[in-house]
Amino acid sequence: MTVENLSSNKSFGGWHKQYSHQSQSLNCAMRFAIYLPPQASRGQKVPVLYWLSGLTCSDENFMQKAGAQRLAAELGIAIVAPDTSPRGSDVADDEGYDLGQGAGFYVNATQAPWNKHYQMYDYIVNELPRLIESMFPVTDKRAIAGHSMGGHGALVIALRNSEAYQSVSAFSPISNPINCPWGQKALTAYLGRDSATWSEYDASVLMRNAKVSNGGTLVPAMVSQGEADNFLAEQLKPEVLQAAAKVSGYPLVLETHEGYDHSYYFIASFIEQHLKFHAEHLR
């Protein structure tokens, strides 16, 4: 596989690097960014936090706006931020910001024309970690986090792959996509009109049904939600996620924060709390 280094920037003794590669899952060129803490340059393998961004974002939003590198350097955690969808002139798109390029929703599309490229679930769960673990000085210890659409993706992926992740967190996640406009639009397009197929990509449904089996464990979860978020009532529905956790006894910590909105000002204000949460479990 050809992987091209697009940029490198030293940050807090470590390195932020951006790469492009041809994705087999998505059938197109994909971009991702990685922050490697200084420990990785000294021959030490470090655990990885995967960050999934939200609608209209790319791999650049989190790395440039969240202010996560300083503490990641102290904690010895690598951060990987993939793009939010396949991209390219031959990749299906939509005029709306909430469907198509920049809005992959971290699902495996089954419907044409989306199914040719939009296999973001497989890309995040399988292809990207294999690439990261083969190229960089990292361990197989993984955590996953995200914002909004990416918070939805992080929760769903951790809930469906509890053996692969030590912890999961989310800022302002789309918690119940089968019952909100963003989710209904995307899931109808990508998966079809049979809503029975949507539940495997709904964190609230998965959390309500979560069970420990075969000696496994439930992935500890943290969710932060701003109370001044314009999308809170109609799109995000954290109360549904919290109710689901109570039914199953899921280890979810959900905190709300007065005055905070949906922006990266909110993420930057609490990213250190999330990084410390993941560090505890990645040990």
Side-chain angles (χ1 to χ4, degrees), residues 3-48:
V3 182
E4 180 184 0
N5 182 207
L6 303 176
S7 66
S8 297
N9 303 94
K10 195 165 188 179
S11 176
F12 294 98
W15 288 91
H16 168 271
K17 299 186 178 186
Q18 193 178 52
Y19 291 88
S20 175
H21 73 107
Q22 187 67 28
S23 168
Q24 296 180 347
S25 302
L26 305 176
N27 194 27
C28 68
M30 278 295 282
R31 201 172 68 189
F32 69 88
I34 183 169
Y35 177 70
L36 291 165
Q39 294 86 340
S41 298
R42 299 197 292 262
Q44 178 181 337
K45 287 190 173 185
V46 297
V48 183

Side-chain angles (χ1 to χ4, degrees), residues 28 86-93 101 117:
C28 68
R87 297 185 193 265
S89 58
D90 64 335
V91 174
D93 202 4
Q101 296 187 36
H117 297 285

Side-chain angles (χ1 to χ4, degrees), residues 3 24 32 54 72 77 79 109 113 122 132 145 151 156-157 169 176-177 191 203 209 213-214 239 249 252 262 265:
V3 182
Q24 296 180 347
F32 69 88
I77 297 174
I79 301 175
D122 279 352
I132 297 300
V156 165
I157 286 169
S169 73
N176 189 209
L191 304 179
N209 296 329
S213 60
N214 299 324
E239 71 282 356
L252 168 70
H262 199 71
Y265 293 108

